[in-house]
Amino acid sequence: MDDPSALSVPMPLPEGRFDGREAFDRLLRIALASAARQGWREMVFSDPDFADWPLGERACIEALQAWSSSGRRLMLLAERFDGIERWHARFVGWRRTWDHIVECRAVRAPHAQRSGRSVPSALWTPGWIVHRIDAEHSRGVSSTDARTRSELRETIDACWRTGRPAFPATTAGL
């Protein structure tokens, strides 16, 4: 019989190179499940449009729901959010419910190109990252290395500062 206390023991997060969409999606699912299980306080999702992230999957929303609580923070950085609205209806509903812990910013693509900093495709946490360096082929790295995490966060923060609030939970108007 399995030991129920083993569920609370943090599993080591995968590290190293990954290649392909399935590998990227698997790492994102691992991240969301780990966030819920380990009570991570902050996560950053960064991608030009999130169109090919598994955010609309029931399992991802259930993990986000389990993670959501007081003191949590989720930052979303993109060039545009229409991909989320178009392909991830479950996530849009979850975002409405948890608006108070979600902050979203959009960086205009021309600005990103001028500054030489395009929005990275990555999931950042204080202890682990998944960085898709070649988004077209879903190739990248996952790492717990402090320097790698810090460098990615600096890139995200630079883009964040040039962004503007976006993807509101509700739209006002008639």
Side-chain angles (χ1 to χ4, degrees):
M1 181 171 181
D2 291 334
D3 179 6
S5 65
L7 296 176
S8 63
V9 176
M11 292 175 31
L13 296 165
E15 290 194 73
R17 297 190 180 281
F18 63 87
D19 187 1
R21 171 84 186 272
E22 288 179 15
F24 176 68
D25 288 357
R26 184 180 64 78
L27 289 170
L28 293 179
R29 289 182 198 105
I30 288 169
L32 295 177
S34 295
R37 210 173 28 254
Q38 298 175 22
W40 296 348
R41 299 191 69 64
E42 179 181 29
M43 289 190 291
V44 179
F45 295 176
S46 174
D47 192 78
D49 65 7
F50 298 103
D52 63 349
W53 285 43
L55 295 175
E57 293 179 359
R58 185 178 312 277
C60 289
I61 297 306
E62 288 171 357
L64 280 168
Q65 185 67 27
W67 170 77
S68 307
S69 69
S70 179
R72 304 286 195 248
R73 180 178 185 209
L74 175 62
M75 299 166 57
L76 278 81
L77 176 68
E79 290 175 4
R80 58 192 186 280
F81 286 93
D82 58 332
I84 288 181
E85 295 167 342
R86 190 173 305 127
W87 294 297
H88 306 305
R90 284 187 183 107
F91 182 82
V92 172
W94 177 88
R95 189 259 187 276
R96 260 189 227 112
T97 301
W98 293 96
D99 178 52
H100 59 286
I101 67 169
V102 180
E103 189 175 354
C104 305
R105 285 175 105 40
V107 177
R108 288 188 210 143
H111 174 77
Q113 291 167 352
R114 276 195 316 272
S115 70
R117 292 189 185 268
S118 60
V119 174
S121 181
L123 181 144
W124 180 94
T125 74
W128 185 60
I129 60 140
V130 176
H131 185 191
R132 200 163 48 159
I133 298 164
D134 175 357
E136 185 178 343
H137 299 99
S138 286
R139 293 183 182 132
V141 297
S142 60
S143 179
T144 59
D145 178 68
R147 182 175 179 179
T148 304
R149 289 190 333 267
S150 177
E151 288 171 356
L152 178 59
R153 184 60 190 251
E154 287 174 15
T155 301
I156 289 170
D157 287 347
C159 290
W160 188 265
R161 286 190 295 274
T162 64
R164 60 179 174 21
F167 188 38
T170 59
T171 55
L174 300 174

